[in-house]
Amino acid sequence: MEVVALSRKHVPDLATEWAAHHANLCRRDPRLATPPRQFFADAISHAIESAGLAFGVRDAMGWRVLATGTHYLLREEEPAQEIIFRNNVTWCIQLLRSWDGLDAPSLMDALHRVAHDLKIEMMYASVPSVDAESIALLARNGFDPAYCHCVLAATFPEPPSPPAGVSLHIAYTGEGQKVIDGHMEELDYHAMCAPSQRTDYTGRYERQLAGCEDVIADPDGISMYASVGGEVVAVADGRVGPSFQRPSHLLPEATIGFIRSVGTRSDWQRRGVGKSLSLALAYHLQNMGARRLELVYCPWNPLSSRFWPSLGFQPAVHGFCMRPNKGIPEETGDPR
């Protein structure tokens, strides 16, 4: 078995292999996109041209694993979720053919060498949730669960009334201060659970407040909160937009309602407040033109991992993360 640094001559065969592999996944999960073969050829070509972030593993029987990466080096002024490490590589790793017990250590060495050369802070990988074999390959090689990207195409009816004494509101321009504390509490809890989240960026509160105000002012955004006696006890916000702006290219292109953040104050959890607010947000996003709803939650978060599936949100794509090795792996015939 050998690891090959891919060049343009490898693109036709591997694009065909990847398209066939993905078509099989789509038959198992109809929520996934079924793009033409050219989509896969373009993805491999882009990875090759972008710092050579494309590797294949093959043996006498043919190609076994494909790994294509994208290097993100985000500037401080760029709009991005600050919880994402700004210098990272996101890999798409596909086990093209069944092979129980495949670990591909040479491939992982190659990925760590890329991380060392680019001085990245975190490696990410995304895999369709039905691709259990590729997920097992990542898990056996030190990747930890980082996020679940969920999709729901169901139509939400007008939400029921909130619990007694609770009122729901839409936040308007200038009301960011009403919702910021709830979002910060949710962010802090998420950071406590998630190994992939950074919390050391400067101006954290100010940036999150600006983000809240941005959603409120956006004509395609909506921010909501639940209050009891004038006191905010839960917050939620989201946006409507095209799916190609989201982190996964594995899902069909459509106008989506992306649920960005939902949090309930700890002393008001398990009383139905978060559920009623989330259903109200979903209903408003649909009325704003969303054809489906999407959200990302951390599987390490015990609240989110129970709450969202109970509302029908099931993962379509799983994301993983791993901090790269600090040192360069021992020489194993670096394919680059």
Side-chain angles (χ1 to χ4, degrees), residues 11 15 22 39 58 113 195 197 201 262 265 284 332:
V11 172
H22 194 73
F39 171 90
R58 67 184 178 189
R113 288 182 182 280
Q197 182 169 317
Y201 56 91
V262 175
R265 210 170 70 183
H284 282 294
T332 56

Side-chain angles (χ1 to χ4, degrees), residues 5 22-24 33 37 58 95 104 112 118 124 138 154 170 190 212 252 260 270 276-277 279 283 293 318 334:
H22 194 73
N24 181 53
R37 176 189 168 282
R58 67 184 178 189
L95 183 55
H112 283 292
L118 297 176
Y124 296 99
L138 291 170
I170 295 176
H190 178 73
C212 291
R260 190 183 77 106
R270 297 181 179 85
S276 62
L277 186 61
L279 292 176
Y283 179 73
L293 299 175
H318 276 95
D334 184 356

Side-chain angles (χ1 to χ4, degrees), residues 46-253:
H46 176 74
I48 292 170
E49 295 161 5
S50 175
L53 302 181
F55 298 97
V57 178
R58 67 184 178 189
D59 62 8
M61 301 297 293
W63 294 104
R64 294 294 185 177
V65 187
L66 172 65
T68 57
T70 302
H71 180 212
Y72 294 98
L73 185 58
L74 304 176
R75 298 186 301 271
E76 285 296 322
E77 65 272 18
E78 285 188 271
Q81 295 184 25
E82 286 84 356
I83 64 174
I84 301 297
F85 286 85
R86 288 180 172 266
N87 187 10
N88 74 78
V89 170
T90 298
W91 295 98
C92 181
I93 298 177
Q94 307 290 317
L95 183 55
L96 298 174
R97 293 190 180 129
S98 298
W99 192 358
D100 291 341
L102 174 66
D103 284 328
S106 296
L107 173 63
M108 295 302 155
D109 285 352
L111 302 190
H112 283 292
R113 288 182 182 280
V114 167
H116 180 273
D117 291 347
L118 297 176
K119 298 180 172 59
I120 69 165
E121 302 168 277
M122 184 70 73
M123 291 198 296
Y124 296 99
S126 61
V127 181
S129 299
V130 292
D131 190 356
E133 291 177 315
S134 294
I135 289 174
L137 175 63
L138 291 170
R140 287 197 299 269
N141 284 278
F143 279 87
D144 290 319
Y147 65 84
C148 298
H149 186 175
C150 299
V151 178
L152 187 62
T155 299
F156 276 84
E158 186 169 354
S161 299
V166 177
S167 56
L168 306 184
H169 312 267
I170 295 176
Y172 294 99
T173 301
E175 291 191 307
Q177 288 288 352
K178 283 190 174 182
V179 298
I180 180 60
D181 289 340
H183 286 294
M184 289 298 293
E185 182 176 341
E186 186 271 336
L187 188 65
D188 288 340
Y189 183 80
H190 178 73
M192 180 180 69
C193 300
S196 60
Q197 182 169 317
R198 61 178 294 236
T199 58
D200 58 346
Y201 56 91
T202 59
R204 186 164 172 262
Y205 181 89
E206 291 76 13
R207 290 192 186 192
Q208 290 299 322
L209 177 58
C212 291
E213 292 286 6
D214 181 56
V215 174
I216 293 172
D218 187 347
D220 293 321
I222 182 170
S223 174
M224 301 187 67
Y225 62 94
S227 66
V228 176
E231 189 174 4
V232 175
V233 297
V235 295
D237 65 17
R239 279 191 169 100
V240 171
S243 61
F244 60 78
Q245 293 180 348
R246 299 308 318 145
S248 172
H249 301 294
L250 303 174
L251 301 171
E253 194 169 316

Side-chain angles (χ1 to χ4, degrees), residues 271-283:
R271 302 193 195 185
V273 179
K275 179 178 180 178
S276 62
L277 186 61
S278 298
L279 292 176
L281 176 65
Y283 179 73

